[in-house]
Amino acid sequence: MTNQEAMPSFEQAMDQLERIVSQLESGDVPLEQAIELFQEGMKLSQLCSSKLEQVERKIEVLLEQDGGMVKKPFQADEGDKGDTR
């Protein structure tokens, strides 16, 4: 992804990342292409993480307490940490 390319939305980045993972898991990708796909996947993963952090900061600002807006840290539930095991 170059700086001149438009940044994909979170959903577009996740779709691209899922396609890359599927390709890599298939095992039918030549080594050089697998490395390029892995690098692209890492960039997309960082982009998604950054977008999620931005949303978390917005949520912190919007939490309401006692009729007024109070900034509180975002607290994910234990089951919402992204661990799919």
Side-chain angles (χ1 to χ4, degrees):
M1 232 179 297
T2 66
N3 289 339
Q4 295 174 354
E5 290 179 25
M7 294 295 259
S9 70
F10 176 81
E11 291 79 9
Q12 291 169 330
M14 285 298 295
D15 287 343
Q16 288 176 303
L17 191 53
E18 287 175 11
R19 283 194 293 276
I20 288 171
V21 169
S22 293
Q23 283 182 285
L24 291 174
E25 286 180 341
S26 75
D28 295 332
V29 180
L31 180 60
E32 291 297 322
Q33 185 182 2
I35 292 170
E36 290 174 13
L37 288 170
F38 180 79
Q39 288 174 329
E40 183 180 350
M42 290 301 296
K43 289 178 187 176
L44 289 167
S45 175
Q46 290 171 347
L47 174 69
C48 289
S49 178
S50 174
K51 287 182 181 277
L52 285 175
E53 287 174 9
Q54 290 172 0
V55 170
E56 287 177 1
R57 284 193 294 272
K58 287 180 184 178
I59 290 170
E60 288 174 347
V61 172
L62 296 174
L63 287 175
E64 187 173 6
Q65 179 179 347
D66 295 331
M69 299 300 270
V70 178
K71 183 175 178 178
K72 296 174 91 174
F74 178 79
Q75 295 288 325
D77 291 338
E78 287 299 314
D80 293 339
K81 297 209 184 238
D83 191 6
T84 57
R85 284 187 258 164

